[in-house]
Amino acid sequence: MAAKYYCADSENGDHIDDPSEDALFDMISELNDTDNTFIVIQPDQDDPAWFASVAVFDEGGYEIVRRDTTRREHHVTTENGIGRIASDLIIWLAARDFQNTA
């Protein structure tokens, strides 16, 4: 069954439909600078209008990208606190437009 709202995928192949804040925290915690360097969160559809990504820096910390073409948003930030990243993402995701939801 496809995600109702969005899904999160990591470079190492982990996939979670409609991840919670805790699930995002866990996925971000598992990032490293060798073989699992990023996660992408986006609607489970072709050509999504928005996405967010988190990538680990080699020297520590994370780069967070939030892009929503329908709202002309494109923000790139850096952060060290995984809890803060997960919380901010959940808040941002809650404001997205979800198509094809029941």
Side-chain angles (χ1 to χ4, degrees), residues 42-69:
Q42 62 188 13
D44 191 12
Q45 58 189 235
D46 293 333
D47 196 24
W50 59 264
F51 76 90
S53 67
V54 179
V56 68
F57 284 132
D58 290 339
E59 59 277 350
Y62 302 89
E63 177 184 73
I64 302 91
V65 177
R66 296 174 187 91
R67 182 157 177 83
D68 187 333
T69 58

Side-chain angles (χ1 to χ4, degrees), residues 6 19-22 24 85-95:
Y6 50 83
S20 65
E21 184 176 337
D22 289 341
L24 289 176
I85 296 168
S87 175
D88 288 350
L89 283 173
I90 287 295
I91 293 166
W92 187 81
L93 292 166

Side-chain angles (χ1 to χ4, degrees), residues 2-53:
K4 185 172 182 181
Y5 301 109
Y6 50 83
C7 58
D9 294 291
S10 66
E11 181 179 19
N12 72 353
D14 287 343
H15 174 90
I16 300 176
D17 289 333
D18 301 319
S20 65
E21 184 176 337
D22 289 341
L24 289 176
F25 182 95
D26 290 344
M27 288 183 86
I28 297 165
S29 296
E30 293 172 1
L31 294 178
N32 60 58
D33 61 359
T34 55
D35 63 350
N36 192 31
T37 60
F38 66 88
I39 63 170
V40 176
I41 306 144
Q42 62 188 13
D44 191 12
Q45 58 189 235
D46 293 333
D47 196 24
W50 59 264
F51 76 90
S53 67

